[in-house]
Amino acid sequence: MADAEEPEKKRRRIEDLTDKMAVDGGHRISGCSWDGRWNHVRKFLERPGPFTHPDFEPSPESLQFLLETCKILVIGAGGLGCELLKNLALSGFRLIDVVDMDIIDVSNLNRQFLFRSNDVGRPKAEVAAEFINSRIPGCKVLPHFKKIQDFDDSFYRQFHIIVCGLDSIIARRWMNGMLISILSYDEGVLDPSSIIPLIDGGTEGFKGNARVILPGMTACIDCTLELYPPQINFPMCTIASMPRLPEHCIEYVRILQWPKETPFGDTSLDGDNPEHIQWVFERAQERAAEFSIPGVTYRLTQGVVKRIIPAVASTNAVIAAACATEVFKIATSAYIPLNNYLVFNDVDGLYTHAFEAERKENCTACSQVPQDLQFPPSAKLQEILEYLTENSSLQMKSPAITTVLEGKNKTLYLQSVKSIEERTRPNLCKTLKELGLSDGQELAVADVTTPQTVLFKLNFTA
Amino acid sequence: ATMAATKASKEQKYDRQLRLWGDHGQETLENAHVCLINATATGTEILKNLVLPGIGAFTIVDGHTVSGEDAGNNFFLSNNSIGRNRAQAATELLQELNGDVSGNFVEESPDKLLDNDPEFFHRFTIVIGVQLPESTCLRLGSVLWNASVPFLICKTYGLIGYMRLVVQEHTVIESHPDNALEDLRLDQPFEEFKNHTNSYDLDSMDKKDHSHTPWIIIVAKYLEKWLSEHNDQLPKNYKEKEAFRQTIREGIIKTDGGVPEDEENFEEAIKNVNTALNLTKVCGVIQLIFYHSSCVCRVFSLIHLPVRGTIPDMIADSQKFINLQNVYREKAMQDAAAVSKHVECLLRSVGKPPESISEKDIKLFCKNASFLRVVRCRSLAEEYSVDSVNKDEIASYMDNPDSEMVFYLMLRAVDRFYQQHSRYPGVYNYQVEEDINKLKVCVNSLLQEYSLSVNIKDDYIHEFCRYGAAEPHTVSAFLGGSAAQEAIKIISHQFVPFNNTFIYNAMSQTSATFQL
């Protein structure tokens, strides 16, 4: 009996020890490890469970994948970006690139916790990377002090997952468009290996949202463009002659008085220059006094001129946490990812709501369906331009319209280059017929909101 | 000079949050002393989101030493601090975040402090307890309840986040509601407003004035006419409101050919008829507040609240708009002055000096009179006692066996497991399987003790063993943001805290709030 027991006991003892080690002991990877370092993470990678993703297989190799192979791109090193870098680093990700074109400002310090007052003026991406790499041994964050538009598809293709903490809808749409442009189709069927998941987070005061986008498969940014209503600007007649609110007085100075009086020479109004804001503030006070309007303050002036959105650490922490959880789920197949949109609001208690945003059949970005432009031949080109900018599903900023006429490329209108703008401006007053356009004509439209031109088909109405 | 410079630089640093809670809100933060018990990842994440916005001081109470695990999921514990006391190590790196904040630590377990010096906790503005076992929570809960110190309990357990707020009575003057109705009093126009509307004669105005008359005046004018023709009865149902809108529509200037001109102000009037005719009444919640607390607006509780004094922007020329705005502002000031007088009397009658409640506070109160909120949480003792457990709430949510309520019950069961076995289930790989049955026993004894006839699926029991009491960073960070903001609400008395149990499920990115 004793002899039979021994090998069984021995086997169990060894198993026990190995099990204990598997949880307690760190794998000696890259020499940046200590006992128990990844215990909290490994329970989700090395144990089976009832709620895991159908593709999930517990394995000690998953951690290795995170530590040594999985490449993540973080876009933005601000309120969300700092949180994302921390969250990813402490979840086992080490190969992280971060892109941000901004430098640090003192007003960032209340929430962008990787920066200190000494860092003001330095590039966010660089300081963030330095801090994370120094605080989290083994983490290799690579900074890029650049705009996202400075990179082409060859840069973006190298990443397994991209996570955005941007503060601009234009930039989001551009990123969205980039990932859609690198999708490959085999005889009309999407090749899943060309999909780079995009996790997108956004916050404003006490509200935030996080979404999971699988380009070509799930709703993209442009599919739900109506969720981002265009910014309301005050009507010019109110600003010019009928102010009622302190904001109207401030806008008057910014839009009309500054260009007229050029108080600091030929420089444009710089919201970050306290002298400029002080000038606007004083003139706005004068205008307000003229109309007996109360409420013009320095803080309000700055807020209006810079279009400041209030921000706190807590909302960014919540949204970045949700985003990082999704990155982890997708990278490891540990759980089924969010499908696909989460909203959060903690003004009154805490409110979350997760729902599936639907793809738009004729989405300008991801549907591959040429967009329909319905206009009579007597319509002026100006009307098409207005449609492209004002339509809530398009919301283009300064579209450049080109077409092919008599076998040659012709620019119908382009705003961003002064000489071309002047040359093509008369076209705006011409009718589509006068411009030589015919029914079914294809117009190629380029805009900052997308890295690829969008094709439109002209459909003449009566 | 240095004080002014510091103030200016703080204004710049905190600019983005001052736009949310104002200078007075910031002041409450800077006077606050927060206690954090246990500098685990969840704890330090919560504290980070309080240090960054500039609370006055924090004190970390923690008797543990930093383990390898701790240094692996916590941004504020480096591997160099392994073996050192956790409170001390975390304080260093949290303090470094913001020089305006004063950081302290106590290398002691909360149980020891409760044994030797429970009044230690009385000094804090709020106590945040993280990853605490049930017995400590209950002991601490009782001390803090009796001392009226708000207590926020937080726990990250695998992919589940949990928060429990314990505060006897928390009043909120500035709740900042997202969708507040305007306070225009069109159904009960006050004297000065009536005089102001009488100064307008829509029929004799020139076109420019007609098109730039504020919609509030337009509705008031047409309402006056309607009331005289309908026996002083306001339009009540859809049919009547539509008829009323039509009278306004007919007031739009027409060209010689009978085509209505473009009068945006009239369109605004028509659009706003629905909400403009809301009856001015004291809403139910406010009545409750007046009845229960020694609120100074008792005098108004039977009639109406002080006029708010603000109007929304609308199409109008500057002068007409400002004049109308001033009518409301002046009435609001009058009402606030009347309230002030009554406050003075009340204070005198209870032997308190009239300056005990400032003018500023009275004005703030009056401006927010429609939005006052009170949050009263049940004590932990009430939640846990068999006699007062909220069976109905638990059972009704568990009608859906996948409701977030199941995680609340699992956390209670896990606490029970800890009490019995002095460890959490499934910490080591080899324990996972065998602990499932042990945990199930705890689940059943919990349900039996509270006579809860609910069904908890085996999958959840398995999952909670699988978690092995892990505290993954991203879930800690989610709770870190959530809890910090609730603490800020408690400290600043702005915005409304949750009541009283919050569960976050990171697997499905869902959450729920229960009142237990």
Side-chain angles (χ1 to χ4, degrees), chain B residues 4 91 109 114 117 126 134 148 159 285 368 372 376 390 408 414 424 430 515:
Chain B
T91 299
S109 80
L114 285 168
D117 179 24
I126 181 172
E134 181 176 311
S148 294
L159 292 182
V285 177
N368 286 276
L372 307 174
R376 292 186 188 90
N390 196 343
Y408 168 75
V414 153
Y424 286 104
Y430 74 89
Q515 210 163 349

PDB file of all heavy atoms in Angstrom, chain B residues 4 91 109 114 117 126 134 148 159 285 368 372 376 390 408 414 424 430 515:
ATOM      1  N   ALA B   4      -0.137  85.244  -4.429  1.00  0.00           N
ATOM      2  CA  ALA B   4      -0.886  85.577  -5.643  1.00  0.00           C
ATOM      3  C   ALA B   4      -0.405  84.729  -6.804  1.00  0.00           C
ATOM      4  O   ALA B   4      -1.198  84.254  -7.613  1.00  0.00           O
ATOM      5  CB  ALA B   4      -0.729  87.053  -5.957  1.00  0.00           C
ATOM      6  N   THR B  91       2.501  56.231  -0.587  1.00  0.00           N
ATOM      7  CA  THR B  91       2.424  57.672  -0.286  1.00  0.00           C
ATOM      8  C   THR B  91       3.468  58.451  -1.054  1.00  0.00           C
ATOM      9  O   THR B  91       3.187  59.519  -1.609  1.00  0.00           O
ATOM     10  CB  THR B  91       2.573  57.926   1.224  1.00  0.00           C
ATOM     11  OG1 THR B  91       1.507  57.273   1.913  1.00  0.00           O
ATOM     12  CG2 THR B  91       2.525  59.417   1.539  1.00  0.00           C
ATOM     13  N   SER B 109      -2.883  48.212  10.529  1.00  0.00           N
ATOM     14  CA  SER B 109      -4.107  47.682   9.930  1.00  0.00           C
ATOM     15  C   SER B 109      -5.297  48.437  10.518  1.00  0.00           C
ATOM     16  O   SER B 109      -5.257  48.872  11.664  1.00  0.00           O
ATOM     17  CB  SER B 109      -4.247  46.186  10.226  1.00  0.00           C
ATOM     18  OG  SER B 109      -4.762  45.998  11.541  1.00  0.00           O
ATOM     19  N   LEU B 114      -9.009  50.321  15.000  1.00  0.00           N
ATOM     20  CA  LEU B 114     -10.351  50.239  15.587  1.00  0.00           C
ATOM     21  C   LEU B 114     -10.267  49.715  17.019  1.00  0.00           C
ATOM     22  O   LEU B 114     -11.034  50.129  17.877  1.00  0.00           O
ATOM     23  CB  LEU B 114     -11.249  49.332  14.747  1.00  0.00           C
ATOM     24  CG  LEU B 114     -11.752  49.939  13.431  1.00  0.00           C
ATOM     25  CD1 LEU B 114     -12.367  48.874  12.544  1.00  0.00           C
ATOM     26  CD2 LEU B 114     -12.758  51.056  13.700  1.00  0.00           C
ATOM     27  N   ASP B 117      -7.767  52.903  18.803  1.00  0.00           N
ATOM     28  CA  ASP B 117      -8.038  54.341  18.667  1.00  0.00           C
ATOM     29  C   ASP B 117      -9.086  54.610  17.591  1.00  0.00           C
ATOM     30  O   ASP B 117      -8.774  55.209  16.563  1.00  0.00           O
ATOM     31  CB  ASP B 117      -6.712  55.058  18.338  1.00  0.00           C
ATOM     32  CG  ASP B 117      -6.898  56.563  18.159  1.00  0.00           C
ATOM     33  OD1 ASP B 117      -7.878  57.117  18.704  1.00  0.00           O
ATOM     34  OD2 ASP B 117      -6.068  57.175  17.455  1.00  0.00           O
ATOM     35  N   ILE B 126     -13.789  62.054   4.471  1.00  0.00           N
ATOM     36  CA  ILE B 126     -14.365  60.825   3.940  1.00  0.00           C
ATOM     37  C   ILE B 126     -13.341  59.710   4.108  1.00  0.00           C
ATOM     38  O   ILE B 126     -12.140  59.955   4.045  1.00  0.00           O
ATOM     39  CB  ILE B 126     -14.788  60.981   2.447  1.00  0.00           C
ATOM     40  CG1 ILE B 126     -15.420  59.691   1.912  1.00  0.00           C
ATOM     41  CG2 ILE B 126     -13.595  61.371   1.582  1.00  0.00           C
ATOM     42  CD1 ILE B 126     -16.020  59.843   0.519  1.00  0.00           C
ATOM     43  N   GLU B 134     -15.278  41.557   5.310  1.00  0.00           N
ATOM     44  CA  GLU B 134     -16.589  41.955   5.821  1.00  0.00           C
ATOM     45  C   GLU B 134     -16.545  42.428   7.270  1.00  0.00           C
ATOM     46  O   GLU B 134     -17.146  43.459   7.607  1.00  0.00           O
ATOM     47  CB  GLU B 134     -17.540  40.757   5.703  1.00  0.00           C
ATOM     48  CG  GLU B 134     -18.945  41.038   6.164  1.00  0.00           C
ATOM     49  CD  GLU B 134     -19.859  39.836   5.926  1.00  0.00           C
ATOM     50  OE1 GLU B 134     -19.839  39.299   4.797  1.00  0.00           O
ATOM     51  OE2 GLU B 134     -20.562  39.430   6.870  1.00  0.00           O
ATOM     52  N   SER B 148     -20.794  60.311  11.878  1.00  0.00           N
ATOM     53  CA  SER B 148     -21.250  61.001  10.657  1.00  0.00           C
ATOM     54  C   SER B 148     -20.126  61.296   9.678  1.00  0.00           C
ATOM     55  O   SER B 148     -20.077  62.371   9.066  1.00  0.00           O
ATOM     56  CB  SER B 148     -21.966  62.321  11.013  1.00  0.00           C
ATOM     57  OG  SER B 148     -23.148  62.043  11.710  1.00  0.00           O
ATOM     58  N   LEU B 159     -13.086  40.451 -12.590  1.00  0.00           N
ATOM     59  CA  LEU B 159     -13.570  41.453 -13.530  1.00  0.00           C
ATOM     60  C   LEU B 159     -14.777  42.200 -12.996  1.00  0.00           C
ATOM     61  O   LEU B 159     -15.516  42.823 -13.763  1.00  0.00           O
ATOM     62  CB  LEU B 159     -13.902  40.776 -14.873  1.00  0.00           C
ATOM     63  CG  LEU B 159     -12.671  40.257 -15.614  1.00  0.00           C
ATOM     64  CD1 LEU B 159     -13.059  39.653 -16.952  1.00  0.00           C
ATOM     65  CD2 LEU B 159     -11.684  41.376 -15.862  1.00  0.00           C
ATOM     66  N   VAL B 285     -40.077  65.756  -4.810  1.00  0.00           N
ATOM     67  CA  VAL B 285     -38.801  65.572  -4.101  1.00  0.00           C
ATOM     68  C   VAL B 285     -38.516  66.757  -3.193  1.00  0.00           C
ATOM     69  O   VAL B 285     -38.119  66.600  -2.056  1.00  0.00           O
ATOM     70  CB  VAL B 285     -37.626  65.403  -5.097  1.00  0.00           C
ATOM     71  CG1 VAL B 285     -36.308  65.278  -4.368  1.00  0.00           C
ATOM     72  CG2 VAL B 285     -37.879  64.209  -5.978  1.00  0.00           C
ATOM     73  N   ASN B 368     -30.961  77.381  -6.977  1.00  0.00           N
ATOM     74  CA  ASN B 368     -31.048  75.946  -7.215  1.00  0.00           C
ATOM     75  C   ASN B 368     -32.259  75.300  -6.563  1.00  0.00           C
ATOM     76  O   ASN B 368     -32.324  74.072  -6.446  1.00  0.00           O
ATOM     77  CB  ASN B 368     -29.777  75.270  -6.683  1.00  0.00           C
ATOM     78  CG  ASN B 368     -28.584  75.525  -7.580  1.00  0.00           C
ATOM     79  OD1 ASN B 368     -28.377  74.836  -8.567  1.00  0.00           O
ATOM     80  ND2 ASN B 368     -27.808  76.532  -7.240  1.00  0.00           N
ATOM     81  N   LEU B 372     -32.739  70.875  -5.629  1.00  0.00           N
ATOM     82  CA  LEU B 372     -32.155  70.391  -4.383  1.00  0.00           C
ATOM     83  C   LEU B 372     -32.317  68.879  -4.301  1.00  0.00           C
ATOM     84  O   LEU B 372     -33.335  68.338  -4.716  1.00  0.00           O
ATOM     85  CB  LEU B 372     -32.846  71.025  -3.186  1.00  0.00           C
ATOM     86  CG  LEU B 372     -32.916  72.558  -3.176  1.00  0.00           C
ATOM     87  CD1 LEU B 372     -33.759  73.022  -2.005  1.00  0.00           C
ATOM     88  CD2 LEU B 372     -31.513  73.146  -3.092  1.00  0.00           C
ATOM     89  N   ARG B 376     -29.874  59.719   1.227  1.00  0.00           N
ATOM     90  CA  ARG B 376     -29.783  59.042   2.536  1.00  0.00           C
ATOM     91  C   ARG B 376     -29.530  57.572   2.276  1.00  0.00           C
ATOM     92  O   ARG B 376     -30.345  56.908   1.636  1.00  0.00           O
ATOM     93  CB  ARG B 376     -31.095  59.204   3.317  1.00  0.00           C
ATOM     94  CG  ARG B 376     -31.382  60.621   3.756  1.00  0.00           C
ATOM     95  CD  ARG B 376     -32.621  60.696   4.640  1.00  0.00           C
ATOM     96  NE  ARG B 376     -32.954  62.081   4.870  1.00  0.00           N
ATOM     97  CZ  ARG B 376     -33.773  62.810   4.106  1.00  0.00           C
ATOM     98  NH1 ARG B 376     -34.377  62.260   3.081  1.00  0.00           N
ATOM     99  NH2 ARG B 376     -33.985  64.084   4.382  1.00  0.00           N
ATOM    100  N   ASN B 390     -32.583  43.943   2.423  1.00  0.00           N
ATOM    101  CA  ASN B 390     -33.542  44.340   1.398  1.00  0.00           C
ATOM    102  C   ASN B 390     -33.851  43.165   0.469  1.00  0.00           C
ATOM    103  O   ASN B 390     -33.418  43.123  -0.686  1.00  0.00           O
ATOM    104  CB  ASN B 390     -32.999  45.539   0.613  1.00  0.00           C
ATOM    105  CG  ASN B 390     -34.078  46.250  -0.187  1.00  0.00           C
ATOM    106  OD1 ASN B 390     -35.159  45.705  -0.424  1.00  0.00           O
ATOM    107  ND2 ASN B 390     -33.786  47.471  -0.606  1.00  0.00           N
ATOM    108  N   TYR B 408     -23.211  40.858  -6.685  1.00  0.00           N
ATOM    109  CA  TYR B 408     -23.300  41.301  -5.295  1.00  0.00           C
ATOM    110  C   TYR B 408     -23.362  40.081  -4.384  1.00  0.00           C
ATOM    111  O   TYR B 408     -22.629  39.985  -3.390  1.00  0.00           O
ATOM    112  CB  TYR B 408     -24.539  42.182  -5.088  1.00  0.00           C
ATOM    113  CG  TYR B 408     -24.843  42.435  -3.634  1.00  0.00           C
ATOM    114  CD1 TYR B 408     -24.064  43.325  -2.885  1.00  0.00           C
ATOM    115  CD2 TYR B 408     -25.868  41.751  -2.978  1.00  0.00           C
ATOM    116  CE1 TYR B 408     -24.316  43.539  -1.537  1.00  0.00           C
ATOM    117  CE2 TYR B 408     -26.127  41.968  -1.626  1.00  0.00           C
ATOM    118  CZ  TYR B 408     -25.345  42.857  -0.914  1.00  0.00           C
ATOM    119  OH  TYR B 408     -25.600  43.067   0.423  1.00  0.00           O
ATOM    120  N   VAL B 414     -18.167  35.192  -1.206  1.00  0.00           N
ATOM    121  CA  VAL B 414     -16.708  35.154  -1.157  1.00  0.00           C
ATOM    122  C   VAL B 414     -16.203  35.679   0.194  1.00  0.00           C
ATOM    123  O   VAL B 414     -15.245  35.148   0.763  1.00  0.00           O
ATOM    124  CB  VAL B 414     -16.151  35.962  -2.350  1.00  0.00           C
ATOM    125  CG1 VAL B 414     -14.799  36.521  -2.053  1.00  0.00           C
ATOM    126  CG2 VAL B 414     -16.114  35.118  -3.601  1.00  0.00           C
ATOM    127  N   TYR B 424      -9.069  33.554   0.217  1.00  0.00           N
ATOM    128  CA  TYR B 424     -10.087  33.659  -0.836  1.00  0.00           C
ATOM    129  C   TYR B 424     -10.030  32.421  -1.712  1.00  0.00           C
ATOM    130  O   TYR B 424      -8.985  31.749  -1.786  1.00  0.00           O
ATOM    131  CB  TYR B 424      -9.876  34.940  -1.654  1.00  0.00           C
ATOM    132  CG  TYR B 424     -10.292  36.185  -0.900  1.00  0.00           C
ATOM    133  CD1 TYR B 424      -9.340  37.044  -0.340  1.00  0.00           C
ATOM    134  CD2 TYR B 424     -11.634  36.486  -0.703  1.00  0.00           C
ATOM    135  CE1 TYR B 424      -9.714  38.169   0.380  1.00  0.00           C
ATOM    136  CE2 TYR B 424     -12.029  37.613   0.014  1.00  0.00           C
ATOM    137  CZ  TYR B 424     -11.069  38.438   0.562  1.00  0.00           C
ATOM    138  OH  TYR B 424     -11.457  39.545   1.275  1.00  0.00           O
ATOM    139  N   TYR B 430      -4.175  25.024  -8.192  1.00  0.00           N
ATOM    140  CA  TYR B 430      -4.663  23.712  -7.750  1.00  0.00           C
ATOM    141  C   TYR B 430      -5.922  23.844  -6.893  1.00  0.00           C
ATOM    142  O   TYR B 430      -6.643  22.881  -6.690  1.00  0.00           O
ATOM    143  CB  TYR B 430      -3.575  22.945  -6.986  1.00  0.00           C
ATOM    144  CG  TYR B 430      -3.316  23.475  -5.589  1.00  0.00           C
ATOM    145  CD1 TYR B 430      -4.034  23.000  -4.493  1.00  0.00           C
ATOM    146  CD2 TYR B 430      -2.344  24.455  -5.364  1.00  0.00           C
ATOM    147  CE1 TYR B 430      -3.805  23.502  -3.209  1.00  0.00           C
ATOM    148  CE2 TYR B 430      -2.102  24.951  -4.098  1.00  0.00           C
ATOM    149  CZ  TYR B 430      -2.841  24.479  -3.025  1.00  0.00           C
ATOM    150  OH  TYR B 430      -2.597  24.972  -1.780  1.00  0.00           O
ATOM    151  N   GLN B 515     -30.241  49.797  -4.281  1.00  0.00           N
ATOM    152  CA  GLN B 515     -30.383  50.445  -2.971  1.00  0.00           C
ATOM    153  C   GLN B 515     -30.583  49.350  -1.936  1.00  0.00           C
ATOM    154  O   GLN B 515     -31.671  48.820  -1.779  1.00  0.00           O
ATOM    155  CB  GLN B 515     -31.603  51.377  -3.007  1.00  0.00           C
ATOM    156  CG  GLN B 515     -31.468  52.552  -2.089  1.00  0.00           C
ATOM    157  CD  GLN B 515     -32.453  53.656  -2.420  1.00  0.00           C
ATOM    158  OE1 GLN B 515     -33.112  53.644  -3.463  1.00  0.00           O
ATOM    159  NE2 GLN B 515     -32.587  54.608  -1.523  1.00  0.00           N
TER     160      GLN B 515
END
